[in-house]
Amino acid sequence: MTKDEAILRYKSAMAVFKNWHANGVISDDDLQAIDTMLAQKHGLSSCSIFLENDLLCKENRVIYGSAKGGHYGQKDNKS
């Protein structure tokens, strides 16, 4: 299996499980566990850009957090 095929299969499987999650069939924790298992199964690194779940905490990102006096990228940022 090529890397492109692995990514396609991972994304296809995750689409099904994300739909289940949206419909309340599985929990956030279940989705995270499934994501980890599918990534390992398809040979994707835990820091791959192709993973569905964003493991970074939005509150700690510069673009969303308050770095140097404001929220980066918002129109009302006057600093």
Side-chain angles (χ1 to χ4, degrees):
M1 176 179 356
T2 67
K3 194 61 147 181
D4 289 341
E5 290 172 331
I7 293 167
L8 181 62
R9 290 178 184 190
Y10 164 80
K11 291 284 194 179
S12 297
M14 279 303 295
V16 171
F17 292 114
K18 285 173 64 176
N19 189 13
W20 287 10
H21 179 260
N23 291 323
V25 177
I26 59 175
S27 68
D28 291 338
D29 292 337
D30 293 335
L31 185 63
Q32 181 62 45
I34 291 167
D35 179 57
T36 301
M37 287 188 286
L38 285 174
Q40 289 174 349
K41 177 182 177 181
H42 292 97
L44 298 175
S45 166
S46 63
C47 53
S48 172
I49 63 171
F50 299 108
L51 294 184
E52 292 289 321
N53 287 326
D54 187 5
L55 300 178
L56 296 175
C57 180
K58 284 186 177 183
E59 294 82 23
N60 293 333
R61 290 187 193 171
V62 173
I63 197 165
Y64 295 113
S66 55
K68 303 225 180 203
H71 285 75
Y72 208 70
Q74 290 184 358
K75 291 180 182 179
D76 62 347
N77 185 8
K78 302 196 190 250
S79 40

